[in-house]
DNA sequence: TATTGTTATACTCTATAACTATA
DNA sequence: TATAGTTATAGAGTATAACAATA
């Protein structure tokens, strides 16, 4: 069994890289007038516009009550509206406003630009390899 | 120029993986009675025991005032002591107590065990490759 | 004046528990 | 009773600004 390699442990290196990348991404989103949670919410809504808030929270990876907080801000910022589903009045349908659509497009552009920057100097094989390795790390901690 | 690959963008995948891995690591540290900031502080202190708080904050990657908050908790938990440097009384020397030493060893063991789990099924080339790719991502956003 | 560190305060993201409305 | 969502509250981690102590 080989000894572990030198330098900081893998988990710490991953965390440090993710921190640096996430900060840069958050700055890019902020420059486009957004934030990470609002971006994740808008992206999920554009993917499945009719999701209930429960589905939406699960898609974003947060609790329902946490989602409510973000939706409150987004609604008071005029990005989304909530109305009851006539078919089941317990369910609130979340929909993008015109302004929400524009915000989504601005953030998407920022995200695409950021991802291009992130990939600089990586060819397709590098990206595939990296994604594969990341998936294996996740499997190792989730198992 | 090839189109970007399908699926979530690279930055999002990195963030998601890092979130899952970080949560698992935080749980492992918590089970050992620690937390991420206290682990980073203790690790930095063991590496350079005489660092001033400014150096320490920089090593951990946080602001000086933020470090003070963590040191306050750690001091009231009996893990560290602060005393003025006789040579320059502006500087506070941070030192581990006996209890701090024991906490460090518990957390280190948890971290080593975690890293072993994280590497499951990865050979040394995989790890090297992953570290290389992470470094390139970081360089891309820092540049 | 400059440097080191602390205190006061606040922000963001998150969570849990108790609640309301609906079924 | 069960489900969808909200409100109230709290906690962790972070930051900035104003301050005290020291040089």
């Amino acid at each position: 069994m080989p000894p572990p390699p030198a330098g900081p442990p893998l988990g710490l290196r991953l965390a440090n890289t993710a921190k640096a990348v996430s900060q840069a991404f958050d700055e890019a989103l902020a420059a486009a007038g957004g934030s990470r949670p609002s971006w994740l919410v808008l992206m999920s809504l554009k993917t499945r516009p009719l999701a209930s808030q429960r589905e939406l929270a699960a898609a974003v990876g947060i609790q329902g009550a946490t989602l409510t907080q973000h939706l409150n801000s987004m609604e008071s910022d005029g990005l989304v509206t909530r109305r009851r589903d006539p078919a089941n009045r317990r369910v609130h349908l979340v929909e993008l406003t015109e302004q929400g659509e524009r915000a989504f497009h601005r953030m998407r552009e920022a995200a695409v630009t950021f991802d291009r920057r992130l990939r600089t100097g990586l060819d397709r094989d590098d990206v595939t390899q990296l994604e594969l390795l990341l998936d294996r790390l996740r499997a190792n901690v989730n198992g």
Side-chain angles (χ1 to χ4, degrees), chain A:
Chain A
M1 184 162 37
L10 185 56
L12 191 53
R13 293 179 72 136
L14 176 66
N16 287 341
T17 301
K19 183 180 178 182
V21 172
S22 291
Q23 273 180 3
F25 182 54
D26 290 349
E27 281 161 21
L29 279 181
S35 69
R36 177 181 302 263
S38 65
W39 164 240
L40 293 173
V41 167
L42 292 176
M43 201 169 50
S44 297
L45 285 176
K46 290 296 284 189
T47 305
R48 301 197 284 161
L50 295 175
S52 73
Q53 285 189 204
R54 281 186 81 76
E55 290 174 293
L56 192 50
V60 175
I62 57 181
Q63 294 301 115
T66 304
L67 175 63
T68 295
Q69 316 282 14
H70 296 311
L71 290 179
N72 287 348
S73 319
M74 293 173 72
E75 192 168 38
S76 69
D77 289 346
L79 303 185
V80 299
T81 55
R82 279 177 283 194
R83 62 185 176 84
R84 290 189 182 274
D85 183 347
N88 178 351
R89 289 181 46 77
R90 286 178 300 196
V91 171
H92 288 202
L93 299 176
V94 182
E95 287 160 344
L96 267 69
T97 62
E98 277 284 315
Q99 201 181 335
E101 292 282 347
R102 286 195 298 272
F104 170 72
H105 289 298
R106 275 199 312 277
M107 290 188 218
R108 186 176 59 182
E109 192 171 37
V112 166
T113 300
F114 179 84
D115 231 62
R116 197 152 41 221
R117 168 153 70 113
L118 193 59
R119 284 168 206 277
T120 302
L122 303 187
D123 64 24
R124 189 182 282 224
D125 282 351
D126 290 330
V127 173
T128 302
Q129 174 76 358
L130 176 57
E131 289 177 344
L132 191 72
L133 288 165
L134 290 176
D135 288 346
R136 288 166 74 183
L137 292 188
R138 174 138 36 161
N140 282 346
V141 301
N142 285 344

